[in-house]
Amino acid sequence: MEIESNSQQSLHLPEEIIGEILPRLPVKSLLRFRCVSKSWGSLIGSERFIKKHHQNSMKNPSFTQQRFNVEANLFEWPEQCSLLSVLSGPINTIPFSPLAYPTNTTLWPRLVYPRITLSMGYDIVGSCNGLLCIVSIDNVFHLWNPSTRISKKLPEISIVYYLDDFDNFGFGWVESSDEYKVFVNVVEYNSSVGEIYSTRTKSWKTIELCPYFLPFSKGGLFGGGKLYWMYEDDQVIIFLDLKSEVFGRIEIPFDQEMYGEIDQEKDDIDLGVLGGFVCLLCFNYQIRCYQVWVMKESWEKVVTLSHLLELLQPPLVKGLNGEILVNCGSIVVVYDCRDNVFRNLKYCSCCEDTGFSSHEDCVDSTSHDVYVESLVSPEDL
């Protein structure tokens, strides 16, 4: 590459240097740089470059390539912003922008009326490696990269079903085989059927459900090649290993360190995924605080929340400086563990204040997700 300076001198950058600089740039810039030359277009579109760019984005400690996605109102298109801006603040002035519409029209059959179509029935199944898996109103799944605006319609499931028959689903990635999988638990009459789609085989197949797999109120949470659900009746974690497509269970420990009182009923417990690991949000009755425990080799406590926040759910992200992003019902809170202070993120149109009291009567249905921008194309899967 040659760059002309004001002194008419030219600077030549070796290809290996270019190959180190470009993978560190944001997706938006790379999409423009594809037009610089044929060699750049070929490089940026190569599978090796896409993987290297994604690895750099995931390892970036400043979260510059990660986005915070929110559906603040079912009658509006989902909005997003930079995760770095959420963690660094000031949080009440963060600019949100709508997720970019896909360039093709296969994502929703009535895309010309997106607000009507979305409000009438769709769901974000999950996100992984910059891809969002979405099930539309016509019961068809799509893979969508909002950064590149490319989407792909998946084959329809052969079983006859209705959207209400989905008791839950999940979306994840198998690293060893580099394939993405979508899981659906379809209820037919009084029986359940497990269906799983693989981007490698490009087809659906039926898998055996575990005996203790029952309908859940939440979709499967993806982390470390597995989908996780909380089975509250038996206080166990149910997981589906996407590589082997076999179910398993993790017993939740009941010890004094985690709960403070071992004879206390364990009602205040919730499941999440933090940093790719399954985590638990537990209320310790002895110190009257919430604690977050992550399952690695064993259960490890990662943070204590000294504030008692209503509708608290497991954290979405833990920053390098001790701040965490956590969902509290219709709002999202950035909690600084060092200073024991919090800031709440206002994005509901019905919420005029920045205090918690103004959100108590908020009826907007909200969901939140954090995803990393990538060049992964659904059309290439």
Side-chain angles (χ1 to χ4, degrees):
M1 180 183 72
E2 292 188 352
I3 302 177
E4 295 294 335
S5 66
N6 293 333
S7 61
Q8 302 300 317
Q9 294 179 344
S10 62
L11 173 64
H12 176 76
L13 291 180
E15 294 297 328
E16 56 268 20
I17 300 299
I18 296 177
E20 291 298 322
I21 294 176
L22 291 182
R24 290 173 167 79
L25 299 181
V27 171
K28 187 175 182 180
S29 298
L30 292 172
L31 294 178
R32 297 198 307 267
F33 292 164
R34 290 181 304 180
C35 302
V36 170
S37 65
K38 290 184 178 180
S39 61
W40 277 35
S42 176
L43 173 65
I44 295 173
S46 66
E47 181 179 355
R48 182 178 179 181
F49 181 92
I50 292 174
K51 289 183 177 180
K52 187 173 183 178
H53 176 266
H54 178 68
Q55 292 172 354
N56 289 339
S57 300
M58 293 295 293
K59 295 177 181 179
N60 191 328
S62 60
F63 302 107
T64 55
Q65 304 298 324
Q66 299 198 37
R67 313 296 293 179
F68 174 67
N69 175 42
V70 58
E71 298 171 79
N73 192 309
L74 287 178
F75 292 92
E76 296 181 359
W77 186 266
E79 295 189 333
Q80 55 84 32
C81 69
S82 165
L83 177 60
L84 179 61
S85 64
V86 174
L87 294 176
S88 59
I91 203 165
N92 60 339
T93 60
I94 294 173
F96 279 86
S97 61
L99 281 175
Y101 290 110
T103 53
N104 53 354
T105 59
T106 63
L107 186 53
W108 286 282
R110 297 196 300 275
L111 192 61
V112 66
Y113 303 110
R115 290 179 180 269
I116 296 177
T117 302
L118 289 172
S119 64
M120 292 300 292
Y122 88 108
D123 206 346
I124 296 180
V125 177
S127 65
C128 181
N129 296 351
L131 298 179
L132 270 64
C133 179
I134 295 181
V135 57
S136 62
I137 191 174
D138 56 347
N139 299 351
V140 176
F141 289 84
H142 302 78
L143 298 184
W144 173 32
N145 186 328
S147 301
T148 62
R149 302 178 62 188
I150 297 176
S151 68
K152 177 182 180 180
K153 177 182 175 181
L154 302 185
E156 296 185 17
I157 302 178
S158 58
I159 298 175
V160 178
Y161 61 89
Y162 298 95
L163 186 63
D164 291 341
D165 292 335
F166 289 156
D167 284 279
N168 47 56
F169 32 56
F171 172 62
W173 176 58
V174 181
E175 182 176 6
S176 60
S177 56
D178 192 23
E179 61 181 319
Y180 295 83
K181 293 189 177 182
V182 181
F183 167 78
V184 185
N185 176 31
V186 181
V187 176
E188 291 185 301
Y189 302 103
N190 294 324
S191 62
S192 294
V193 177
E195 291 288 320
I196 194 164
Y197 174 85
S198 168
T199 57
R200 181 167 291 274
T201 63
K202 295 180 173 54
S203 62
W204 293 89
K205 73 174 183 178
T206 302
I207 64 171
E208 182 179 356
L209 297 177
C210 60
Y212 40 83
F213 189 88
L214 298 175
F216 298 90
S217 60
K218 295 182 180 180
L221 301 174
F222 175 71
K226 298 180 177 65
L227 294 174
Y228 296 94
W229 294 266
M230 172 71 78
Y231 184 26
E232 296 182 355
D233 290 348
D234 284 347
Q235 294 291 316
V236 298
I237 299 172
I238 308 299
F239 68 86
L240 170 62
D241 189 317
L242 291 178
K243 181 179 180 180
S244 63
E245 299 179 354
V246 174
F247 284 89
R249 56 189 288 163
I250 301 175
E251 300 291 338
I252 298 176
F254 296 100
D255 54 37
Q256 190 166 1
E257 183 180 7
M258 185 173 286
Y259 298 98
E261 300 176 13
I262 58 176
D263 58 345
Q264 179 71 40
E265 291 187 9
K266 309 305 182 296
D267 295 329
D268 295 321
I269 184 171
D270 206 350
L271 181 70
V273 172
L274 183 62
F277 298 96
V278 63
C279 71
L280 290 175
L281 177 70
C282 306
F283 184 75
N284 189 298
Y285 290 85
Q286 183 175 2
I287 61 176
R288 309 297 298 177
C289 292
Y290 283 99
Q291 296 178 330
V292 179
W293 295 77
V294 170
M295 180 62 176
K296 295 183 179 179
E297 296 297 329
S298 59
W299 288 103
E300 302 176 10
K301 183 174 64 176
V302 295
V303 68
T304 297
L305 304 174
S306 57
H307 280 287
L308 296 181
L309 305 177
E310 297 182 2
L311 304 177
L312 187 64
Q313 297 180 22
L316 301 169
V317 172
K318 185 177 186 296
L320 294 178
N321 298 320
E323 67 280 316
I324 64 170
L325 183 66
V326 59
N327 177 26
C328 294
S330 63
I331 63 173
V332 168
V333 174
V334 175
Y335 181 79
D336 194 323
C337 306
R338 300 168 303 174
D339 301 329
N340 194 27
V341 297
F342 58 83
R343 310 186 311 274
N344 63 300
L345 173 62
K346 183 182 72 172
Y347 49 78
C348 295
S349 58
C350 64
C351 301
E352 303 298 335
D353 236 341
T354 56
F356 279 99
S357 59
S358 64
H359 298 272
E360 291 178 355
D361 298 324
C362 178
V363 296
D364 280 358
S365 177
T366 61
S367 63
H368 326 92
D369 195 11
V370 173
Y371 69 94
V372 61
E373 291 184 310
S374 78
L375 293 165
V376 178
S377 175
E379 293 180 339
D380 296 335
L381 301 178

